[in-house]
Amino acid sequence: MAFWTPTYVVKANSKIQSVYTGSYEAAKQNNWADKLISTVPVESYQQINDMMIETLTITEESGRETLSDLKSKPIVIESKRFSGGFKIREIDFLSLPQMASGLTRYTEAAGQLGAEAALFGQRLGLKFFANGLTTNGLDGVPFFSASHPTDFSSALNGTYTNYETAKALTAENFAAAVAQLETRVMPNGTSRNLRAKYLFHSPQLKLKAREVTGAQFLAKTGGGTSSNVLVDYDVIPVSVPGLPAKWWGVMAENVSPSGINRAIGIGVLQDFSIADFSDITSYTLRQSSELACSAKGHIGGFYAWPYLIHLCVEP
């Protein structure tokens, strides 16, 4: 038909690509997962396992390996595929008015797909937060636990907790949680040299989080105040929609050549993109009366380093 040609299909494709990308980037601006979850490109799930093992091998200054900080077992990865789309139809190219109407539908769908794709990994990350009390991490205990072994491969070197209950989000409890995080050690007793970077919390605790990170002084038992200036902690509050109402905690990052430097990770096996018809040919259009404009992506979520996070639950 008159307008079912590469020239007009490519023009429609250009608009679809622009709207999809714009919607994706806009949604990412309000994406808490970019702060709290490591996202790394990978070619296979085995690569994630290899990267984790490579990252946490402890060596002395002489270069002699002394302790392995990771159990010699596979990392459990939850695979998720994103797929959605719509059809570009020849019937919508019968006339210029029909093209305008069709393009409106196409761009609306592309915008929705872009936003969904941007938040897809975040939804998977939220699931890992929610399941952390019952699902084991690398060290064989629930990811949020009061009995994590300091050495992932043995409980002989002591334990630590990254989970506390009956802890209201107050200045004192916030400072205590930061101290718990920053005093954690490696299996050989050396400090992990962590620094709390984020205060994550449910939307219901947003006001408290802002008050705590902006508080000037800690209250003293028996009255008065101390001179600990919490704004100097330089911890960023991050609201996590979907987190249980009473949950809050602090998170650090470590330095990792693999890029897996947070408590929860996502490996991207296939980038989130929408079908591109910029090189469509007349021959292809003559063979078909519609084109499938699909958006796809493939990710895998996993628990990484439990010592980088400390979860508290209000009474």
Side-chain angles (χ1 to χ4, degrees):
M1 294 183 181
F3 298 103
W4 188 240
T5 66
T7 298
Y8 288 100
V9 171
V10 168
K11 286 182 178 180
N13 173 76
S14 178
K15 184 65 175 177
I16 290 168
Q17 295 289 328
S18 176
V19 171
Y20 175 87
T21 301
S23 180
Y24 183 94
E25 294 300 329
K28 290 283 281 185
Q29 294 299 315
N30 194 34
N31 191 337
W32 57 262
D34 285 349
K35 299 181 179 69
L36 304 183
I37 296 176
S38 291
T39 301
V40 292
V42 295
E43 296 180 359
S44 67
Y45 289 140
Q46 181 60 45
Q47 185 182 354
I48 295 174
N49 190 73
D50 294 344
M51 290 162 69
M52 295 279 281
I53 293 174
E54 179 183 355
T55 299
L56 260 292
T57 296
I58 309 303
T59 58
E60 291 184 338
E61 288 185 6
S62 63
R64 180 174 63 86
E65 183 176 312
T66 57
L67 291 167
S68 171
D69 204 13
L70 191 63
K71 278 189 174 181
S72 56
K73 65 176 184 178
I75 294 166
V76 177
I77 300 170
E78 181 170 344
S79 175
K80 290 289 183 182
R81 293 181 183 271
F82 174 81
S83 181
F86 53 92
K87 292 181 178 179
I88 301 174
R89 305 177 305 165
E90 181 180 6
I91 195 172
D92 290 326
F93 286 73
L94 288 172
S95 66
L96 291 176
Q98 283 176 295
M99 284 178 55
S101 176
L103 187 57
T104 297
R105 295 196 306 273
Y106 300 157
T107 53
E108 286 177 354
Q112 292 173 11
L113 285 171
E116 286 293 317
L119 299 177
F120 190 71
Q122 179 169 282
R123 293 193 180 99
L124 179 59
L126 184 63
K127 182 177 179 180
F128 275 79
F129 270 93
N131 293 343
L133 293 175
T134 56
T135 304
N136 288 354
L138 298 170
D139 51 10
V141 299
F143 187 71
F144 295 123
S145 171
S147 56
H148 282 288
T150 300
D151 183 347
F152 282 11
S153 60
S154 171
L156 298 178
N157 291 322
T159 61
Y160 68 93
T161 179
N162 71 349
Y163 171 59
E164 295 183 281
T165 59
K167 292 289 183 179
L169 181 47
T170 64
E172 285 183 321
N173 286 339
F174 164 73
V178 170
Q180 286 258 27
L181 189 72
E182 295 185 352
T183 54
R184 288 175 185 160
V185 297
M186 297 182 186
N188 57 10
T190 304
S191 171
R192 289 194 181 275
N193 198 30
L194 301 177
R195 181 175 177 277
K197 185 170 183 178
Y198 299 109
L199 165 60
F200 64 90
H201 57 84
S202 69
Q204 292 89 335
L205 297 178
K206 189 169 187 175
L207 177 59
K208 284 187 176 182
R210 295 306 188 273
E211 290 174 342
V212 163
T213 52
Q216 291 297 314
F217 301 101
L218 287 171
K220 279 184 177 179
T221 302
T225 59
S226 66
S227 59
N228 293 333
V229 183
L230 290 187
V231 291
D232 287 347
Y233 276 47
D234 198 24
V235 174
I236 303 168
V238 180
S239 181
V240 181
L243 201 66
K246 295 184 178 182
W247 282 24
W248 64 276
V250 290
M251 184 180 291
E253 295 178 351
N254 64 5
V255 178
S256 166
S258 70
I260 304 174
N261 59 358
R262 299 183 180 98
I264 296 171
I266 288 179
V268 180
L269 285 92
Q270 179 184 1
D271 281 329
F272 291 85
S273 59
I274 195 166
D276 186 357
F277 300 108
S278 58
D279 58 354
I280 197 76
T281 65
S282 297
Y283 176 80
T284 300
L285 294 177
R286 285 197 300 270
Q287 301 303 308
S288 178
S289 61
E290 60 185 28
L291 300 171
C293 191
S294 58
K296 295 181 179 180
H298 184 192
I299 60 175
F302 56 95
Y303 288 117
W305 318 120
Y307 57 79
L308 291 178
I309 192 169
H310 193 85
L311 172 67
C312 297
V313 180
E314 288 212 317

